Amino acid sequence: MTNVHVIGTGGYQPGDPIPTSEIERLVGPLPADVLEGLAITSRHWIADPATGAQSENNSDMALKAAQRALESAGVDAAEIDLMILATGTPDYVLPPVVNLVQERLGLVRCATMELRSGGAGVVQAMEIARRFLADGTYRTALLIGSEAISPVLIPVFLGQDPAKIRMRERIPVYMFGDGAGALVMRAGEGPGGVSAGATACIGGDRKPGIHAVGGGTHAPIAEQLKAKRLVDLRVDVVGAGDFTPQMVIEGIGATLAAAKVDVETVDLCLVPEGNVGWMRDSLTDQGLDQGAWKALDGKVIDSLPVMGAVGCAAVPLFLDDAWRSGRIRRGDRVMVVGVESTKWIYAGAVIDWTMP
């Protein structure tokens, strides 16, 4: 089969960074150990913390990331014949965000898909695109991950007394940011490119680690409108701390096996929360920091501290940041592992990086 290469990346985050000191002013402090464990110093929001007004929406960010990826690839939008977008915070329930972006790129006809797999979504999309491109069904794919979480966070604190905001409601405000990232993939000759990937949901018997409740069909709309907030974002911090490391370790092992590569040959490993303190502590406490994880010591990269947890956008946004900052260079073997704790999903891929 023909090799498939990443030929362009793009990232976008809105507005100026919001420092953690401002979040503390808005919702109150966190215990020092929790704050240290989150390891996030700034994030970007489309929502104004003072008023709740939005500067843009999910599809705006997705379009900007896509345009930057196309520019870096030297590819015209008209050449895209497959688009896959991952998001958990769409502009509308329908139409899909991917089709809003398609329209704004001027593409009348294009194969499109939209995934709801959170942080694992874009990595799953890489495998879907790799197969379609390798077998000749399509030639050029545009993959996008985008997330607009701040509008859900604003009602937690706007007009509220910070001292009265519960701790479990404060944590998501500290954690999440908005943004979008994009990749352009193309079938072509030459060595390198994207290897076969791996994905699985290993939470079929576990309750969700993150639950976005509201706006769906789980209950009559009349009942939902009586709730304190139309959409409520609930994060099981303890559950995530216990089980996310298991997803990461299994995801790494499955990815190496699917790609048929040895961990020692990997130059860099992008795991969006791979360097946070709670992750490392949990790995050690559970005895999971053996084998592959130890072999990757010093090779794990992410941009979480300055971008926040950005869900579907994390892998492509952090990948773009790593390439543009020079952390990823041509000839590097890069493993990406996306994890999603809403229902415990992982996806991984290995990229032999051919972009200059």
Side-chain angles (χ1 to χ4, degrees), residues 285-351:
D285 292 345
Q286 297 177 47
L288 298 171
D289 59 338
Q290 306 296 320
W293 186 259
K294 286 204 168 180
L296 292 168
D297 188 37
K299 300 179 179 180
V300 178
I301 60 172
D302 66 26
S303 303
L304 184 77
V306 295
M307 295 186 179
V310 288
C312 293
V315 168
L317 182 60
F318 295 178
L319 198 63
D320 176 68
D321 182 54
W323 171 64
R324 292 178 187 271
S325 65
R327 283 179 288 174
I328 296 176
R329 288 175 275 193
R330 187 171 190 168
D332 283 345
R333 172 165 285 175
V334 183
M335 179 164 58
V336 294
V337 179
V339 294
E340 176 55 38
S341 57
T342 52
K343 209 63 177 80
W344 316 106
I345 307 164
Y346 70 74
V350 172
I351 311 167

Side-chain angles (χ1 to χ4, degrees), residues 258-269:
K260 296 182 174 60
V261 300
D262 293 326
V263 68
E264 289 78 10
T265 69
V266 174
D267 297 298
L268 294 168
C269 179

Side-chain angles (χ1 to χ4, degrees), residues 1 8 36 42 63 70 82 87 98 168 170 173 181 189 191 203 219 247-248 254 265 283 286 307 314 319-320 332:
M1 298 178 77
E36 182 180 359
S42 64
L63 176 66
L70 291 168
L82 171 64
T87 188
V98 67
R168 67 180 178 87
R170 293 179 186 180
V173 184
E189 302 302 323
M247 282 197 296
V248 170
T265 69
L283 285 163
Q286 297 177 47
M307 295 186 179
L319 198 63
D320 176 68
D332 283 345

